[in-house]
Amino acid sequence: MTNRLSFEINATKSSSENLTELIRMTERLKPLYYTVNTEIGQTEWQDTYNRCCELKNMTDKPVIPHIAINNKDECELYFIIEKYLKNNFMEFFVIRGDKHHVDRDKTLNYGTELIEFIRANYPQVNIKSSIYPDYHKESLTPEVDTFWLKKKYQLGVSELISQVCLNKNAFSYIKKILGEEITITPSMMPLLNFKFMASFLKSNSIDYPLWIQKHIRENNSTNHREIGLKITKFLALDYLKNENRLHFFTLNNSKVITELFNDLSDYG
């Protein structure tokens, strides 16, 4: 398998030994790049920056920081972006951020506005952004969501990476609606903490397929990990076979990533 996978790294603190093992394992899969999330839980943008710098010393693959509005003003965003550019980070994954509160007195409230801001002031950088497989929960209609997704493409976004998608039909349909000229990549994460997954998917208005829920309900808790890994691997292989592409959230868990991807022959 060559250049079909990319991986997301958490900005949360983890041991250097675990991170080293995670990079060692994933580099065997020849990833396209690594992204580093931002401002999840208690982390701040500085944690993302520090993790990106750490990874840059561990791999020669591109490292792409997430840049989020999250109630920042233009001055602070200028500072953050300039800091990355000075350290030769030339590509960003741009989002509004889950912590952002819309304020009409602020210049930037939506992801497209931040993309437009970066494109106008830093035309040399490459930009990736997000997409929801079941459309954004705040969009009044699918057509409204499609309009803004196409707007991202018009602003020069090179790739749209989906939020976690467990329903391949949803991904395939939105990909068809947007057209082949827009690069859209599905994403997955290890299905291990099912209480968290149920809450996460519900809060983001993402479909949680009934067949997966039944597998979890009908197996006792001692088998949940085995069932979760089996389903995760099935979905990952399915995306790689049919879409030839997958972005995978590692959750910084080198042991689980090793279990999922250790047998490279499974992935072609």
Side-chain angles (χ1 to χ4, degrees):
M1 178 177 50
T2 303
N3 296 341
R4 293 196 289 157
L5 276 163
S6 52
F7 293 97
E8 181 168 302
I9 306 294
N10 286 1
T12 51
K13 291 179 174 61
S14 58
S15 70
S16 296
E17 182 180 352
N18 180 64
L19 194 62
T20 300
E21 177 61 22
L22 180 62
I23 298 304
R24 185 196 68 78
M25 173 59 210
T26 52
E27 281 203 322
R28 293 174 58 210
L29 298 158
K30 300 180 174 64
L32 286 165
Y33 54 78
Y34 295 93
T35 65
V36 181
N37 61 25
T38 196
E39 296 155 77
I40 304 296
Q42 299 302 311
T43 65
E44 303 292 339
W45 73 261
Q46 293 92 338
D47 297 306
T48 301
Y49 174 79
N50 292 335
R51 178 49 47 86
C52 285
C53 291
E54 186 179 7
L55 288 173
K56 202 170 184 181
N57 292 322
M58 299 173 69
T59 179
D60 60 359
K61 299 297 182 183
V63 177
I64 303 172
H66 288 208
I67 304 286
I69 302 173
N70 280 344
N71 309 309
K72 303 180 191 70
D73 59 24
E74 290 188 5
C75 183
E76 187 174 4
L77 286 163
Y78 272 122
F79 177 83
I80 294 168
I81 293 167
E82 292 285 350
K83 192 172 179 69
Y84 277 115
L85 293 179
K86 286 177 183 176
N87 284 278
N88 205 32
F89 291 97
M90 301 301 295
E91 188 165 14
F92 303 130
F93 184 83
V94 178
I95 55 175
R96 181 179 69 177
D98 293 337
K99 296 180 180 180
H100 184 76
H101 303 291
V102 174
D103 183 347
R104 299 301 176 186
D105 292 330
K106 293 184 177 180
T107 307
L108 304 175
N109 278 299
Y110 298 99
T112 49
E113 293 174 341
L114 179 54
I115 292 167
E116 200 162 14
F117 169 80
I118 295 173
R119 179 59 66 227
N121 292 284
Y122 304 99
Q124 74 275 30
V125 305
N126 189 36
I127 299 174
K128 300 183 187 298
S129 192
S130 59
I131 183 173
Y132 280 76
D134 299 293
Y135 302 105
H136 197 283
K137 60 185 177 182
E138 295 175 14
S139 293
L140 298 177
T141 66
E143 289 75 20
V144 169
D145 202 53
T146 299
F147 172 84
W148 290 111
L149 291 169
K150 288 184 176 180
K151 177 71 172 179
K152 288 183 178 182
Y153 174 71
Q154 291 162 5
L155 289 169
V157 170
S158 63
E159 181 180 11
L160 295 172
I161 301 176
S162 86
Q163 187 50 274
V164 171
C165 185
L166 306 182
N167 183 341
K168 186 176 180 300
N169 286 341
F171 178 83
S172 298
Y173 186 76
I174 200 167
K175 184 176 179 181
K176 179 180 179 180
I177 293 297
L178 290 176
E180 293 298 324
E181 70 273 14
I182 302 178
T183 300
I184 308 174
T185 298
S187 70
M188 278 289 302
M189 69 168 62
L191 304 179
L192 297 177
N193 185 337
F194 291 98
K195 184 176 180 180
F196 164 78
M197 283 302 303
S199 174
F200 175 82
L201 295 172
K202 182 178 180 179
S203 66
N204 287 283
S205 297
I206 297 173
D207 181 42
Y208 191 2
L210 186 58
W211 70 271
I212 297 179
Q213 296 186 55
K214 284 187 173 182
H215 270 290
I216 304 311
R217 286 201 301 264
E218 293 168 10
N219 287 273
N220 61 50
S221 59
T222 59
N223 291 330
H224 277 184
R225 190 177 191 280
E226 180 182 346
I227 293 295
L229 287 172
K230 185 176 181 179
I231 293 173
T232 302
K233 192 166 187 176
F234 168 80
L235 292 170
L237 285 166
D238 191 59
Y239 274 124
L240 287 168
K241 177 182 178 181
N242 293 290
E243 302 297 336
N244 204 38
R245 188 69 175 86
L246 181 65
H247 188 64
F248 201 88
F249 300 162
T250 66
L251 308 182
N252 290 16
N253 193 325
S254 59
K255 182 178 180 181
V256 167
I257 298 303
T258 299
E259 289 182 75
L260 287 170
F261 293 101
N262 191 49
D263 190 352
L264 303 186
S265 62
D266 286 345
Y267 294 89

